[in-house]
Amino acid sequence: VAQRDAAVPLTRMVAVNNPGGAALLYNAASTASWLTVTPASGTAPAGSPTMMRLRVNPAGLDPGTYTAQVTLSSSGVASPAPLQVTLSISFGSQLLSAEPSGLTFTAVQGGAAPLPQRLYITGAAANTFFWEASASTLSGGDWLSVDPPSDASRPDSPSAAQVRVNTSSLAPGIYFGELRVSSPGADNSPRLVNVALQVLPQASAVNTIQPGGMIFTGAATRQTIRVRNLGATATTVNFAVAGDTNIFTVTTAEGRNIGPGQERAFDVVATPAGLTAGVYRARIHFQFGNEPQIRAVDAVLVAAEAATCTPTRLLPMVMNQATPFAMTIGLPLPLEVQVVDDCGNPMAAGGSVTIAGNPAAAGTAALRYVQNGLWAGAWPARGGPVGLTFTADDPSRNLQGTVTLGGSGSTSANIPVIAEGGLVSAASLQAGGPLAPGGLISAFGANFVDGQWIPPALPLPSVLGNSRLMMSGADTALFYAGAGQMNAQLPYDAPPNVVRQFAVQSGTRRSHYVEMPVALAQPGVFTFDQSGKGQAIVVDGANPALIATPANPVARGGVAVIYAEGLGAVNQPVVAGTAAPVDPLARVVNTMAVTIGGRPAQVLFAGLTPGFTGLYQVNVTVPADAAPGNAVPVVVTVGGQASNAVTMAVR
C-alpha cells in the first residue's frame, strides 16, 4: 500500500520452496511493469527456501488498486499457482501506521505488572500529523492504557507511545483489549492494535529479559540487560557468556536473588580498542531457579572505520525477544528488529524485513520501518512450535542479511485464528485479494464458533453464535458461521484503495488482525462446484432454470445471466445484509466489460439481484462470433479488475 504521489519503491522478500529431492533451476516473471522480480532466474535447493525480491514502483500511478501476478517455471516440473500481488494507492497523501499491530503481555496472579511495551506511530506524510489513541477491553475491566493518548509525529520523528496493563485485580485467564489510533488526514484511519493479556496462576514462574538483543557500533560500548521477576515468589538467576569473551564482559553489582516484582541489571561492555575491522559476537545465557531452559541475549559489535568501510552485508538483530521465545498460538508476538550493515550504518526506508516461519506452513509476515534502522511488527502465531527467520534486504545497495530466532508455541483453546491467505471472495476463493465494497467474503481459520449457524431470513445479523467478523472495528453482515469458516458481506460504502484490518471475535476473544486491500470492485463469478473454477453459475436468459452446462448450452446471440459478487457500488443506497430492491433496480456504477470466448459481449444489465443480498447479476448477449464449446471462457471485468477464470457452454 502506498500514498498518492509516493516516490519510494516498496520491497518484499518471498520464499521459493522446493520440497523435492534435488535442486531446481527456475525462472520468475511479472505480469505488470510496476512490479519487478529479482533474480529473474535462480536455483531452489532441495528442502531449503531461497529468497526472491519483489519490488513495487508506485511512481506515476494514479490512485487505485492494481493487481499483478508472479509466475515461476522450471523445466520438467509442474508450475505452482501464480503469486497474486496487489498494490493499493490511496487518494490522500497520508497513511497511518501503528506497530506492532499486536501486543501480548504475560503476568502472574498477585505478581508484578509487566513492563510497558512500545507502540510506534508513524505516517507516510510530508508534514507533521496529529493522532489520538484510545484503549478498550472485552472483559476484565479497564486494565489497558496508552500514554500519551495523543501526540504529533513527523516522518523523521515517529511517536513511541507506552502501552501498559494493570493486572492487580485479574484472575488467571486470557484477556483481550484494543488500541484505536486515529488521524483525521489519513485514508486508512483508524489503525487497530490487538492487545492480549495472559494472567497465569499464582504459582507460575515468569521472568522477562530486556533487551533480547543488542548491537554495538561506533563509540557506544556499554548497554544494560534488565531481568525482571514477575512471579509471586523469589527466584535466582545465573548467567554465563559465550563467544568473543575477550571483547564482551558482563557484570552485575546486585545479587543473584530476585524477589517478587524486582529486577536485576547486567551491564554488557564491548571493548573495540585495537580490533581489526569486522563483526564480533557473544551470547549471554541466563538460567532462572531450577528451570531447565536456558535463555539467551545475542550481542554484536561492529568494528569499522566509517571513512574507509564498504558494506557487504546486513546484520539484523531481534531486539525485544530473547532466545528462545515462547508464544501462545493465536496471540500476537510483538517484534522489533534493528538492522545495520557491517560498517555500522542503519538500514533506511526503502528496504524490507520479512519473516518466514519454520516450518514453511507457518506462513510469512513483514515488518514496517520506524526510524534509524528499526523495524517493528507482529508475528500472528497461527501455529507452532515455530522458528522465525528474518531476512533484511536493502535493494538500493543490494545488501541482504538473515537471523534466525528459535521458539515454541503452546496451545490455548478457543482463540480464533484466521489462516494465512484465509480472507477471500466467497465466489472465486482467490487468495491475495483485493476485496470489494458490498462483496461477499469467506474467512477460513479455526476456533471461530461452536457449531454451525445460518440466519433464518434477511436482514443478516452481525452476530452468529456469539461470533462476529469485523472490518476496521466495524461489524459485517453474516450469512454463515462455523468453526473454521465465516461468510459475510462488506458494507457497500467501504472506502476503496486502502488496506483494511479484519478480525474474528468470538465472545470475549479476538483473532489477530489480518490486512486486506479493498478496491473499487473485484468481481468473483460463482461456480457450480463452489471451487471458484470451471463451470460458472450462468443461466439461459430464455429459461433461467437451466444452467449453461454442456447439456444446456446457450445459443450464440442469446441472452446469458452471470451471477457474481464484488461488482462494487450501485446507483442507490443499499444496506449490507438487506434484500436488494426490485423497483428501481440497483445498478452497478463502475465500468463493466464481459468477454465470452475472448469476444466482447454486450452488457444489457449489471446490478444487484432483487430480493437477495450481495448477489449481482450481469445480463449479456452471447457474441455471435464466439466459438461454441462445452467450456468457453467467461471473464467479467469491473473497474479494471478481472474475475476468476470460469466457463460456460455455448452452441
Side-chain angles (χ1 to χ4, degrees), residues 57-72:
N57 185 3
L61 296 178
D62 293 328
T65 299
Y66 301 81
T67 57
Q69 292 182 333
V70 175
T71 58
L72 294 180

Side-chain angles (χ1 to χ4, degrees), residues 437-438 489-494 568-582 584-587 607-609 611-616:
Q489 184 185 13
L490 302 186
Y492 290 97
D493 59 355
V570 291
N571 64 350
Q572 57 180 292
V574 181
V575 177
T578 63
V582 176
L585 296 173
R587 298 175 181 270
L608 293 173
T609 303
F612 292 83
T613 183
L615 180 65
Y616 296 80

